[in-house]
Amino acid sequence: MNDDVRNIVLGVIAAGISAALGWLARTYLWRRKLRRKQDFFGLPENSESLLVVNRDPATSEPAVHRFDVFALLELSALIKDCGAHMQMVTQDAPQQGFGERTEFCVGGPASNRRMLAHMAAMLPGVRMNVDAEPGPDRGAFQIGGERYRMEPGVTEYVLLARLTAGRQTRPVFLFCGQRAITNQAATRYLARNHERLSRKHGTGSFVLLLKVVNSQAYGPDLVELVADVTRAAQAPLPATETARTSHRAS
């Protein structure tokens, strides 16, 4: 074998080794990224998850608003990417606790009984005005001592929460918006920012208040983070706000 042939053979071998190392490195990084995503969502390979859908309060039939359908499609894609399975149920069907399966709960307390139960149990510092009568406080959030009113189509708010009852339990994700389009905005925000949220919060609980800007022009795409309200949401409402809420209810 002369020098030219030997150099060619060595070049081919070196190229093959480099390609194999590159493939191994890419595979390792992809698997590590997937594991982090699975850990954040509580969705190991072939695990089960629960999607709890609300009903459209504008209809007497048990229908789902089209924007909530879009939100469910966003979540279905996330679950599929993790290699997990899902079961979809209506808001009045699941009669079970949480922690055994990852749960995604969509819709405000007026249209989703499951959301109402989760908020009462895990977010005592949050109230949402569910009055059917028009008024400036209709649909408003009360979080701690702050109130967030909506201006439909212009400024609207939605809570995005990841909650756990312990280290060994699966999380429940809440998408609680003032309108259906804000629920979709929250699911889209989660899909786009889950890596950053995972780096910041790990597998712990968080509650974020998001603002959907000018949805009548931009749909669910223009979303701003208002604040991390985890501490206020998980603490009891101030006594003055509790008394005010009780007075309105009476």
Side-chain angles (χ1 to χ4, degrees):
M1 179 182 296
N2 59 39
D3 292 342
D4 292 337
V5 174
R6 183 170 59 251
N7 290 336
I8 292 173
V9 172
L10 292 175
V12 170
I13 294 173
I17 293 173
S18 297
L21 291 175
W23 178 83
L24 289 173
R26 288 192 298 271
T27 301
Y28 170 76
L29 293 174
W30 175 80
R31 289 186 180 277
R32 186 174 66 172
K33 183 177 180 180
L34 177 60
R35 283 195 300 271
R36 287 178 176 175
K37 186 174 184 179
Q38 291 171 332
D39 290 343
F40 177 74
F41 286 108
L43 293 172
E45 190 81 18
N46 294 317
S47 61
E48 299 291 334
S49 63
L50 190 68
L51 266 67
V52 183
V53 303
N54 61 345
R55 60 175 178 81
D56 187 351
T59 66
S60 58
E61 300 296 327
V64 180
H65 195 284
R66 64 188 181 94
F67 287 119
D68 288 326
V69 173
F70 296 152
L72 296 172
L73 292 175
E74 300 261 8
L75 295 173
S76 299
L78 285 175
I79 295 169
K80 183 179 179 181
D81 288 345
C82 291
H85 309 291
M86 67 176 183
Q87 177 187 2
M88 189 177 300
V89 297
T90 56
Q91 49 90 28
D92 55 349
Q95 296 181 351
Q96 60 185 36
F98 64 92
E100 294 183 3
R101 293 185 288 178
T102 294
E103 179 180 336
F104 301 90
C105 191
V106 177
S111 62
N112 192 326
R113 297 178 190 172
R114 183 76 169 174
M115 179 68 72
L116 180 63
H118 285 324
M119 291 177 68
M122 297 181 284
L123 301 179
V126 178
R127 294 288 187 276
M128 188 173 184
N129 188 310
V130 295
D131 292 342
E133 296 299 323
D137 284 337
R138 183 180 181 184
F141 280 117
Q142 184 72 42
I143 305 175
E146 300 293 332
R147 184 170 300 169
Y148 301 89
R149 296 184 175 95
M150 70 170 173
E151 186 177 351
V154 180
T155 302
E156 297 147 326
Y157 296 94
V158 56
L159 283 177
L160 167 61
R162 181 191 192 277
L163 303 172
T164 60
R167 182 167 295 183
Q168 301 301 321
T169 61
R170 300 284 175 82
V172 54
F173 288 86
L174 305 182
F175 308 88
C176 179
Q178 293 175 326
R179 296 177 66 215
I181 196 169
T182 64
N183 298 330
Q184 184 191 1
T187 59
R188 184 164 294 182
Y189 182 91
L190 179 66
R192 291 175 175 175
N193 297 279
H194 65 85
E195 292 183 5
R196 180 177 61 82
L197 294 173
S198 177
R199 287 193 297 270
K200 182 174 182 179
H201 301 283
T203 56
S205 297
F206 62 80
V207 186
L208 306 180
L209 180 67
L210 308 176
K211 179 169 68 175
V212 183
V213 181
N214 200 359
S215 63
Q216 61 188 356
Y218 302 119
D221 287 328
L222 191 54
V223 180
E224 298 176 359
L225 174 62
V226 177
D228 183 333
V229 295
T230 307
R231 182 174 297 180
Q234 294 184 327
L237 274 176
T240 54
E241 296 299 336
T242 304
R244 189 180 303 171
T245 302
S246 301
H247 177 72
R248 285 200 302 267
S250 62

